[in-house]
Amino acid sequence: MKRTLTGVIATTALLGGIASAPAYASPAGGHSPGRHCVVAPGPSTTCYDTFREAIRQATGGRVTDAPSDPTVALASAEFTRDINASGSAPGQRAAVSSIEYENPNHNPVTLTFALGACGSDDSWDYGLRDIDGVDPAWDDRISSYQGYNGCQVNHYEAPGYGGDRTGYRNSQKDMGSMNNKTSSLRWR
């Protein structure tokens, strides 16, 4: 089933109000530097002071011990195993689909998409027609990413899946000519 994200998306609707450290709704102009934001089905993007808290929320509290440094997390086989296992629980409402990074080499500010696990065929499972709908600060800002729960991500230069693209990949440490150009995404 294809799901297109057309509006603003929220973590709190998905996770049912898990108690946590302070979260900040992303302002109209985007999130504050140094924040780690989570996008999931619902009314808004939610940002956190720490990567660990963002992952806790994105996984519905199933991963509580993520490394505080996203670069360390990416290099950890245990973190990858925990993220992928958290998306395979029966009755799972969502799973981490990808973590997007502001700079090449997966660091330091993150945007985590908790849309769900991806299927095994070649058709896309989730789409975001315009990143401005979830957080305008992330338009033309992504430079690396990592897919989880069977997801590959295709980054597009223009809203509506137009312009140059990365092609579907599980991960890129540096998006080359697509650095800081993503305006829409699809996951498969």
Side-chain angles (χ1 to χ4, degrees), residues 2 10 14 27 71 81 118-119 126 144 163 175:
K2 295 181 183 354
L14 173 74
T71 307
R81 184 190 67 235
C118 294
Y126 309 100
S144 57
M175 293 168 56

Side-chain angles (χ1 to χ4, degrees), residues 62-63 78-90 92 95 149:
R62 290 178 300 282
V63 177
E78 180 181 1
F79 175 77
T80 299
R81 184 190 67 235
D82 289 350
I83 290 291
N84 288 330
S86 75
S88 61
Q92 176 77 34
N149 288 293

Side-chain angles (χ1 to χ4, degrees), residues 24-92:
Y24 309 90
S26 183
H31 71 278
S32 300
R35 302 269 189 237
H36 300 279
C37 299
V38 178
V39 178
S44 69
T45 298
T46 306
C47 300
Y48 301 88
D49 287 330
T50 68
F51 179 71
R52 179 176 289 154
E53 185 62 20
I55 293 302
R56 180 175 179 269
Q57 295 300 316
T59 62
R62 290 178 300 282
V63 177
T64 59
D65 59 350
S68 56
D69 181 339
T71 307
V72 171
L74 186 68
S76 168
E78 180 181 1
F79 175 77
T80 299
R81 184 190 67 235
D82 289 350
I83 290 291
N84 288 330
S86 75
S88 61
Q92 176 77 34

